[in-house]
Amino acid sequence: MSTLATAASTSAFTDHELTLEQFGRVAALLYDHCGIAMRPGKEGLVRARLAKRMRKLAIADFAMYLELVGDGPAHPEFGEMVDALTTNKTSFLREHAHFDYLRETVLPSLGPNVRIWSAGCSSGEEPYTLAMLLLDQSTMGPVRDARVLATDISQRMLTAAQAGVYPAEIMNDVPPEWRRRFWSRVDRNDEAGWLSATPPLRKIVNFARLNLMDHWPMHGPFDAIFCRNVMIYFDKQTQQRLVERFWSLLRPGGHLFVGHSESLTGTAHQFRYIQPAVYVR
């Protein structure tokens, strides 16, 4: 194919307009199946991000793409669309004040069995951080039965999390002792500088796909639930239902951690405020 033809083909994918009606259909699909509220004003973001998916699939028309994902989660591309339209930003020890509070206040008060849920775990940095904290003998004592349930709607993110392999450069905030104890160096794609979770770390974390809008198969109770930077995608009504469901799965005295950009202000709930983004049942 000539350079001119290639440029014309690429232009066909990038210049096609997303109509307001089509934006509304995307927003309705996200809300109906995932609870995600895609508000007016995000048309440019939706167009740009879905155009990348369309180029990969060689689809030049938004109508054709919407026909592809119109059945919702039944089609594999629906999950790819959700991934494209949401942000999977995370890091080890992100919002470290939460982990300080967990280590200093929550864990010392618990018995030998500890259950924590990382809801919206993305690529796994949060649940692995929790697992390292739970395995830290100076914090936990010699014997604990500790488990972290890590769930996410994105199968792509879960696959990356289950692999448990990360570039060493993103672990600068992880204490050197933890890196030595819980991670081993590996080569990946013939490149050095990668770290892999050790078996003791992997044993603590159980990954599972879960849409927070669907039935929850687990029964709890949990000692803590981390649902951070997830509810920002939901409207108040959906947040209300979600907070009520979290309450029912926490033991009395259990803690709910939300993102620092989130709060339960404006939501009717029974939680007691502890400190920014930390609540207790």
Side-chain angles (χ1 to χ4, degrees), residues 18-44:
L18 175 74
T19 68
L20 288 177
E21 179 184 359
Q22 289 167 339
F23 172 79
R25 289 180 61 194
V26 172
L29 279 169
L30 289 173
Y31 188 80
D32 291 344
H33 293 287
C34 310
I36 296 172
M38 187 64 67
R39 297 174 178 83
K42 299 291 186 180
E43 293 88 350

Side-chain angles (χ1 to χ4, degrees), residues 19-20 27 40 54 63-64 73 77 84 99 107-108 113 116 121 138 147 152 158-159 183 197 210 235 248 257 277:
T19 68
L20 288 177
M54 291 165 62
M64 293 175 61
E77 179 58 25
F99 299 104
L107 295 181
N113 302 318
I116 299 178
C121 69
S138 63
R147 295 288 183 271
D152 201 274
L158 284 174
T159 298
W183 299 88
L210 181 69
D235 61 15
S248 67
F257 296 81

Side-chain angles (χ1 to χ4, degrees), residues 136-185:
D136 186 351
Q137 297 299 309
S138 63
T139 299
M140 300 303 300
V143 178
R144 287 270 176 157
D145 176 20
R147 295 288 183 271
V148 177
L149 172 64
T151 67
D152 201 274
I153 192 174
S154 169
Q155 187 57 56
R156 181 172 64 88
M157 288 293 101
L158 284 174
T159 298
Q162 288 173 313
V165 180
Y166 303 90
E169 62 193 33
I170 74 168
M171 289 201 183
N172 292 332
D173 292 332
V174 177
E177 180 188 357
W178 283 10
R179 291 201 299 270
R180 289 192 300 268
R181 290 176 57 192
F182 304 129
W183 299 88
S184 57
R185 289 197 172 273

Side-chain angles (χ1 to χ4, degrees), residues 185-207:
R185 289 197 172 273
V186 295
D187 293 341
R188 189 175 189 184
N189 300 325
D190 296 325
E191 295 180 1
W194 293 78
L195 296 175
S196 177
T198 57
L201 198 63
R202 295 175 184 272
K203 183 179 179 180
I204 283 185
V205 185
N206 178 41
F207 291 100

